[in-house]
Amino acid sequence: MALSGLALASTPSVPDAGGEVASALAACEARLAERPDEQESAMCFYRSAQLPAGREASLRRLAALAEKHPERPWLTLVLGNVEHLSEPAKAEDSYRRAARAFRRLQDAEGEVLAAINLRGILLKSGRLDEAREWTRRINEVAQASDDPELKTRALIVEASERSDVEHDLGRAFRLLKRAEMLAFPDGSDGLKKQTLSALATVAANLGRLDESVDVYHRLAELARRTRDAPLEARVRYALANLALQRNERQPEPGGRARLLALAREALAAAEHAGRKPLEASSLRLVAELLGDSPEEQKEADQYLRRCLALAEELKRPERRIACLWTRAERLAGSDPVAANRDSDEALLLALEHGNPVYLALALRGRGTVAFRTRPLAEALHHAENSLDAAEALRELQHDASSQAEVFAGWVSDYHRLAGWTLEAGGAAGKAPSLPPREAHERAFKVSERLRARTLLDALVASQALSAATGEPGRHAARSEVQRRLTAVQRRLLEPGLAATERAAALRELQELERSERDLRPAPRHGATEFASLEAVERGLAPDEALLAFLVGFDRDVHGVPAGGAWLLAVTREGTRVHRIPERSRLTPAVALFSGLIERRDGSEAGAAAALHAQLLAPALAALPPGVRRLLLVPDGPLHDLPFAALRERPDGPPLVARYELALVPSASLWRYWREQPPLAPGGGALLLADPDRGSGTTMARARGAERAGVFAEAAQLGALPEARREGHEVEEVLQGTKVVPRLLVGAAASERALKTAHLDGVRVLHLAAHAVVDAEAPERSALVLAPGAQEEDGILQPREIAELRLGGALVVLSSCRSASGAVLPGEGVLSLARAFFEAGARAVVASLWPLRDDEAAWLVARFYRHLARGVGTSAALRAAQLEAIEDGQPASAWAGLAVLGDASLVAVEPREPAEVHAALTGPHLSLGGVAALSALVVALIWLRRGRPGVRARRHGE
């Protein structure tokens, strides 16, 4: 994001090349004599200098006038602008003198503009400390001026500092969103262009590709309206580049041809606008997308030669780096020596350049070239180095959300390396070039480096309790912002709020959310190592298997092997690897399966059997016979898959009839939870059920038969009478155990009660309430409780959940979609359940989809009956699900509830040792034929019925 020319962005168009320089200068002097102190009088000389023929004359005249009139700093500033056209270094002194003169005159606008341009020169010369001081001064002057345009410019400059120098993209993005609010709707066109250009760039670098595309479309409209051809060309290139990045995340048939057409259009626009830096970038993009035919190879070579020549002419090392790694990748198949030479040069230049993004990209290119030209062991080493560089970029981000967003853009690199490694070990049926065991260990390590990193960091570094750490002043400021956030949300929850007031409140909410994010303590990087394959094998019980999925694509947009999709089946006896369908096939198949389940008529049977065959059948057939629990590590579309409902045959029993099931974000997190000490004896259970907000309308309460809703409707969600009954039944069950229950219903089931409860000794936290899920803004998702106090809004959001101080408890979320939400590549599902893990939970029972109130109450009550007998969490849920199957309930009533985290967690102790009964304990207990008998009973029931019935049993029937 280059901002050094910020002060010049609103410069009028270049004069006609045929105009006489002398007459243009004479006109400028006449205007200066008439209005000597105006900015536009000085800028007239800058416009006359745009053509080379007029540059020297304008420069001489401006220098003389600036020396004669030191009290007119606009002349000195414009002198710097003209000097900057030919020799930017010479402009430094002029900008510095102008800034000081404006300061003496207390002219805020002039000082800010001069300082912005001076800062740009300092940055280019590597004088970062000086540049940082001028950034501070720009912000100070702008804030004191109370001028919205200057404040906007200062925010853009500070965002540049954050993104280009500190590489803190999240903070830069939030600064630019503030600038956007100031620039629109009343800012000048030039200011709007600067704001949107910077915002689109940072959004793209942050991995927010869709948002960046939206901003660029707004910028394109602005460029067309103002007839700004250079800006239109830049937008065309940016949109073509973004289309390529989106296609890399989700390849489409025929995608390369469409992308190539966009790149050619961008090149034509750059040439027409006469923008050589943009032309160089477009040449490289076209060359990258051209195919392998002799004609296209020749064309690509010509384009890359032009790209390198322009990079040399412009003295732009980043352009040369990109052109070199692109040429290296194209030459890898035909001229390995030249490919490695270009790759080596690109890497050396990137190291000298110092930009971590270009270094990571050069290392990625190096790995690609090495894979096609070097011995495999060396190629894998280079590819692993590129992951190190990607993770270094991640570490530069100052908040966990930005870390995850930046990291998401590199997920395909992990899939690619893992796939390459497994194929090298013979997993694809080829002769192994790497010992299979070594290949499995290395691929497993890559898989673990990919998954749920910010959650692992938070837990290992004990950052789930972040509110208690950090600087006291910062903590106090954050508390104040949180208080104001709550107040705004209380207003937004008022049903009668006028549309204009609602819009204003939403704008205020957005600003407060950005401030709250800025005030969070920086994440500590607690995860110094990841679970090794050997450690996981040793840590598994004899009756457990960990199934880790890697769901990538077979080939990328260029046709290069992209790693494919795999399943690593890990048991105490060893590890086996299985190829599974690639992501482009699994994504629609999972969506179809979920849609069929929603029909509640058993029509999902065929899809369930097909997915079982594609994903699980070979792996399950090869498991040791004693395995009774599956720990599933999903990836990509499999985060939304109800594994419990898969089945071997369309007319056979579901997977849960054979196995206990649990979802874990990564093997490293599973090991972390498994290694925690057992819960202390006794303890309590806190139960909140059917919160009463006192604001539901008759219409809203009529919709209360389903635990569903969106955030905007949270205030009007109706009562959940079955949830209240569920709470009382759970309380009654737990009274027969060593856990002491405390039930809060209605108005007492409040946010305030939960936040002020002593949760250290709570072994079970049960929440039966509405949930609202916002996939576009995951941090606005919430459990809807009663407020309980004037300073609360009853909307329990992830930032608040993460501060609850849970000490390894089991959390049961009897709420809709509490395990679902936006899926961020690599990080996983940004769900409400995840927030409870940040708070310290060891296991969470949550739902993938909306639950009917009666069915949820029925299933959860039975879960607790089994839990009360002292069995593990996944065993208790399985037993309850088998009862639902036996009762004839459709898969939608039971398959969406899942155990996440530590499946073996025993949260409840019975008062007296219970006898073991197959129907109550499930298969995990090691008595001879118990598991086989339980599965046989379910199978017989299934065969007798042919398919599950559709009768939903209501609580109390």
Side-chain angles (χ1 to χ4, degrees):
M1 181 172 62
L3 297 173
S4 61
L6 189 66
L8 312 180
S10 59
T11 301
S13 57
V14 176
D16 184 355
E20 290 291 332
V21 173
S23 91
L25 288 176
C28 290
E29 294 200 37
R31 176 166 183 161
L32 181 67
E34 184 179 345
R35 294 189 285 272
D37 297 321
E38 286 188 3
Q39 175 185 359
E40 279 303 306
S41 299
M43 286 298 295
C44 179
F45 292 92
Y46 178 73
R47 287 191 291 275
S48 70
Q50 291 302 297
L51 295 176
R55 190 165 299 169
E56 285 300 318
S58 298
L59 189 62
R60 288 193 301 272
R61 191 61 188 136
L62 268 172
L65 287 168
E67 184 177 358
K68 182 178 180 181
H69 300 287
E71 76 284 1
R72 299 178 187 173
W74 285 113
L75 291 168
T76 310
L77 173 58
V78 174
L79 173 62
N81 291 346
V82 176
E83 291 170 332
H84 195 276
L85 293 173
S86 301
E87 297 183 66
K90 285 188 175 181
E92 178 183 341
D93 181 62
S94 296
Y95 287 145
R96 196 182 297 275
R97 287 187 290 112
R100 290 170 178 165
F102 282 124
R103 186 181 306 181
R104 288 193 300 270
L105 296 172
Q106 297 185 334
D107 186 329
E109 180 186 12
E111 183 179 355
V112 166
L113 295 180
I116 287 172
N117 289 333
L118 173 59
R119 173 187 171 276
I121 290 175
L122 295 172
L123 281 176
K124 286 183 178 179
S125 62
R127 293 145 69 184
L128 302 185
D129 289 340
E130 284 186 76
R132 191 172 291 112
E133 282 301 308
W134 281 102
T135 300
R136 183 196 58 77
R137 177 61 186 172
I138 290 164
N139 187 61
E140 180 182 291
V141 173
Q143 292 303 318
S145 73
D146 203 30
D147 182 333
E149 180 151 335
L150 291 187
K151 288 182 178 181
T152 306
R153 292 183 184 278
L155 286 167
I156 297 172
V157 168
E158 188 179 354
S160 169
E161 183 87 34
R162 298 288 184 175
S163 66
D164 299 348
V165 179
E166 299 177 10
H167 305 286
D168 182 359
L169 298 172
R171 183 65 184 275
F173 179 80
R174 293 189 291 277
L175 288 166
L176 290 167
K177 293 298 285 186
R178 294 187 180 111
E180 181 187 22
M181 292 178 68
L182 289 173
F184 289 85
D186 299 326
S188 66
D189 287 339
L191 190 64
K192 290 175 180 177
K193 292 175 184 178
Q194 294 160 18
T195 304
L196 293 180
S197 295
L199 179 59
T201 300
V202 171
N205 292 339
L206 193 55
R208 298 188 173 197
L209 304 186
D210 291 343
E211 186 160 359
S212 182
V213 168
D214 290 343
V215 175
Y216 272 121
H217 281 304
R218 293 168 60 193
L219 197 57
E221 178 59 34
L222 189 58
R224 283 192 292 270
R225 181 170 61 78
T226 58
R227 298 183 180 181
D228 189 337
L231 181 57
E232 281 196 77
R234 185 153 59 86
V235 169
R236 279 186 180 274
Y237 167 76
L239 288 173
N241 197 43
L242 284 166
L244 174 59
Q245 293 181 59
R246 293 167 88 179
N247 198 276
E248 287 172 345
R249 290 192 181 186
Q250 187 68 46
E252 300 175 0
R256 189 174 67 84
R258 181 178 61 85
L259 294 171
L260 180 58
L262 291 175
R264 289 189 186 279
E265 290 173 5
L267 176 58
E271 291 172 337
H272 176 72
R275 288 296 190 260
K276 290 184 177 181
L278 196 57
E279 182 182 349
S281 296
S282 301
L283 286 165
R284 191 209 65 81
L285 185 60
V286 173
E288 179 180 356
L289 290 165
L290 283 166
D292 295 329
S293 69
E295 295 78 11
E296 288 177 297
Q297 288 280 27
K298 182 178 180 181
E299 184 182 7
D301 182 63
Q302 292 172 346
Y303 283 176
L304 289 169
R305 288 177 184 276
R306 284 172 57 194
C307 177
L308 290 165
L310 282 172
E312 184 69 24
E313 176 187 340
L314 297 167
K315 296 182 173 54
R316 301 290 288 269
E318 70 278 6
R319 297 287 190 274
R320 183 170 182 80
I321 294 166
C323 292
L324 283 169
W325 86 55
T326 301
R327 189 167 70 176
E329 290 178 358
R330 293 195 62 89
L331 290 172
S334 58
D335 190 345
V337 174
N340 279 286
R341 183 173 60 245
D342 281 349
S343 179
D344 289 344
E345 184 182 350
L347 186 55
L348 287 172
L349 283 173
L351 287 167
E352 293 174 4
H353 188 50
N355 186 309
V357 175
Y358 278 93
L359 178 59
L361 292 171
L363 284 166
R364 171 192 280 174
R366 172 75 163 181
T368 302
V369 170
F371 181 71
R372 301 177 67 186
T373 64
R374 303 273 179 112
L376 183 65
E378 186 179 347
L380 294 179
H381 172 72
H382 286 301
E384 288 167 356
N385 284 342
S386 71
L387 300 192
D388 292 338
E391 291 177 20
L393 283 175
R394 174 185 179 274
E395 301 298 305
L396 290 170
Q397 308 311 307
H398 291 191
D399 65 272
S401 296
S402 299
Q403 287 183 339
E405 288 173 328
V406 168
F407 194 58
W410 295 85
V411 165
S412 61
D413 293 66
Y414 288 77
H415 286 144
R416 180 175 63 170
L417 177 56
W420 287 355
T421 305
L422 291 171
E423 289 181 351
K430 302 176 183 178
S433 53
L434 198 68
R437 177 62 184 182
E438 181 184 345
H440 295 171
E441 289 175 341
R442 292 175 71 161
F444 189 82
K445 182 178 180 181
V446 171
S447 171
E448 285 302 296
R449 290 175 68 176
L450 166 65
R451 302 179 192 269
R453 293 288 299 276
T454 63
L455 179 56
L456 181 62
D457 280 347
L459 294 181
V460 173
S462 299
Q463 285 298 289
L465 312 182
S466 59
T469 63
E471 304 169 20
R474 192 182 186 91
H475 175 58
R478 184 172 176 227
S479 296
E480 173 59 20
V481 169
Q482 289 174 323
R483 184 193 66 76
R484 293 171 59 197
L485 255 172
T486 299
V488 173
Q489 290 188 157
R490 285 178 69 93
R491 292 208 309 273
L492 287 167
L493 292 167
E494 296 173 6
L497 192 64
T500 54
E501 293 176 337
R502 183 172 298 278
L506 280 170
R507 287 194 297 271
E508 184 179 357
L509 178 64
Q510 291 169 349
E511 177 57 28
L512 288 169
E513 287 171 335
R514 288 190 281 267
S515 297
E516 191 275 334
R517 181 81 65 85
D518 288 340
L519 290 167
R520 292 181 191 177
R524 295 179 185 174
H525 309 302
T528 56
E529 62 180 33
F530 305 96
S532 68
L533 183 58
E534 182 181 2
V536 173
E537 291 171 343
R538 287 199 314 267
L540 289 168
D543 57 355
E544 289 181 316
L546 183 139
L547 304 183
F549 294 90
L550 283 162
V551 186
F553 298 98
D554 287 344
R555 292 188 176 273
D556 64 16
V557 68
H558 309 294
V560 175
W566 303 86
L567 169 58
L568 285 75
V570 186
T571 68
R572 181 172 277 192
E573 295 184 8
T575 298
R576 291 176 180 265
V577 176
H578 306 272
R579 194 78 182 247
I580 62 174
E582 66 166 353
R583 181 176 295 222
S584 60
R585 291 176 57 194
L586 284 179
T587 299
V590 170
L592 173 64
F593 180 50
S594 298
L596 291 172
I597 286 178
E598 289 180 9
R599 294 172 57 173
R600 301 173 65 87
D601 60 3
S603 58
E604 76 279 359
L611 280 168
H612 184 282
Q614 294 171 339
L615 291 173
L616 297 174
L620 297 183
L623 291 179
V627 170
R628 294 291 178 265
R629 177 189 289 151
L630 303 182
L631 306 170
L632 303 158
V633 188
D635 186 31
L638 301 187
H639 284 291
D640 295 324
L641 178 64
F643 283 92
L646 299 181
R647 63 187 73 163
E648 194 170 0
R649 303 183 313 277
D651 60 348
L655 189 66
V656 73
R658 184 177 175 188
Y659 298 102
E660 294 175 29
L661 305 172
L663 303 174
V664 291
S666 70
S668 298
L669 280 163
W670 167 79
R671 183 183 66 168
Y672 172 85
W673 288 315
R674 186 63 64 88
E675 290 177 349
Q676 300 305 303
L679 296 178
L686 180 60
L687 320 173
L688 281 70
D690 188 25
D692 183 3
R693 299 180 55 83
S695 60
T697 66
T698 302
M699 182 181 296
R701 290 184 182 277
R703 292 201 304 267
E706 293 194 5
R707 296 179 193 184
V710 295
F711 181 68
E713 298 174 358
Q716 296 185 355
L717 289 170
L720 296 169
E722 294 296 332
R724 186 175 297 226
R725 195 176 303 176
E726 170 190 311
H728 285 292
E729 188 164 350
V730 171
E731 179 188 33
E732 182 180 347
V733 169
L734 293 179
Q735 283 172 346
T737 71
K738 294 182 180 180
V739 173
V740 179
R742 178 189 174 204
L743 174 63
L744 303 174
V745 299
S750 70
E751 183 178 9
R752 173 51 56 183
L754 179 58
K755 288 180 175 179
T756 57
H758 296 291
L759 297 176
D760 296 355
V762 168
R763 296 175 65 123
V764 178
L765 175 60
H766 178 92
L767 298 165
H770 285 294
V772 289
V773 176
D774 190 333
E776 293 184 1
E779 292 207 346
R780 288 190 187 173
S781 298
L783 288 164
V784 184
L785 307 176
Q790 185 64 31
E791 61 270 22
E792 302 291 357
D793 54 19
I795 306 299
L796 187 69
Q797 295 168 311
R799 59 184 168 80
E800 299 168 298
I801 293 169
E803 298 176 2
L804 286 180
R805 314 290 200 279
L806 299 173
L810 165 66
V811 176
V812 180
L813 301 178
S814 188
S815 306
C816 85
R817 298 185 63 199
S818 47
S820 69
V823 177
L824 190 62
E827 196 59 35
V829 185
L830 305 182
S831 65
L832 292 167
R834 173 195 168 92
F836 282 96
F837 284 122
E838 291 187 56
R842 274 175 59 181
V844 178
V845 177
S847 174
L848 292 170
W849 52 59
L851 300 172
R852 291 191 177 187
D853 190 23
D854 56 333
E855 291 175 344
W858 191 95
L859 185 62
V860 169
R862 276 150 182 77
F863 163 72
Y864 272 99
R865 290 181 188 178
H866 298 293
L867 195 69
R869 297 182 177 272
V871 302
T873 304
S874 63
L877 180 59
R878 175 181 179 271
Q881 289 173 319
L882 293 182
E883 288 189 31
I885 294 168
E886 183 179 356
D887 188 61
Q889 296 185 33
S892 62
W894 54 265
L897 207 63
V899 174
L900 296 83
D902 186 1
S904 64
L905 177 66
V906 177
V908 178
E909 298 173 277
R911 288 192 184 277
E912 301 295 336
E915 294 184 5
V916 178
H917 298 284
L920 298 177
T921 59
H924 183 56
L925 297 181
S926 57
L927 289 180
V930 167
L933 179 61
S934 178
L936 179 60
V937 168
V938 173
L940 289 172
I941 292 169
W942 204 270
L943 288 172
R944 185 178 73 241
R945 291 178 176 164
R947 63 180 176 86
V950 297
R951 180 173 59 89
R953 178 174 178 180
R954 291 182 178 272
H955 186 89
E957 274 189 352

